[in-house]
Amino acid sequence: MSWIGLFRFPQVWGLVCAKFLSDAAWYFYLFWLPKYLYDVRHFDTKQVGYFAWIPYAAAALAACSAAGFRAVSFSRGRSLNFSRKLALGLSAA
């Protein structure tokens, strides 16, 4: 199958749209936060290193929490599709 042929699947469009919306916010934190801490808050490089890891830790905790939430929701009789969408919807809200 060609790369262009993949765009016939609605699942691919869902993934493309989700990545388009979420990556903008992620790259904002990835590139903006260290520069903000350095330029505006006048942190030195060492201080930036002390605080710039926090978004990564928060993202890791959120991913683990969402996985646990999905597992609990699924074990209580909800469908896997519903459990995933509920976890994503709550995290987006």
Side-chain angles (χ1 to χ4, degrees):
M1 175 176 287
S2 69
W3 284 98
I4 299 298
L6 291 174
F7 289 106
R8 284 187 248 143
F9 296 100
Q11 295 90 343
V12 172
W13 281 106
L15 180 64
V16 167
C17 291
K19 291 296 285 179
F20 176 77
L21 293 172
S22 67
D23 281 358
W26 181 247
Y27 283 113
F28 178 75
Y29 284 115
L30 183 67
F31 294 111
W32 172 81
L33 182 64
K35 183 165 178 49
Y36 169 78
L37 292 174
Y38 188 79
D39 291 344
V40 177
R41 297 294 178 187
H42 306 293
F43 284 17
D44 62 12
T45 305
K46 189 175 184 180
Q47 288 174 313
V48 169
Y50 286 142
F51 295 101
W53 62 270
I54 294 172
Y56 298 100
L61 288 174
C64 291
S65 299
F69 179 80
R70 285 190 307 263
V72 168
S73 177
F74 183 67
S75 69
R76 290 188 178 169
R78 300 286 187 169
S79 71
L80 185 59
N81 187 32
F82 176 82
S83 300
R84 287 178 177 166
K85 288 180 180 177
L86 181 62
L88 287 172
L90 290 173
S91 67

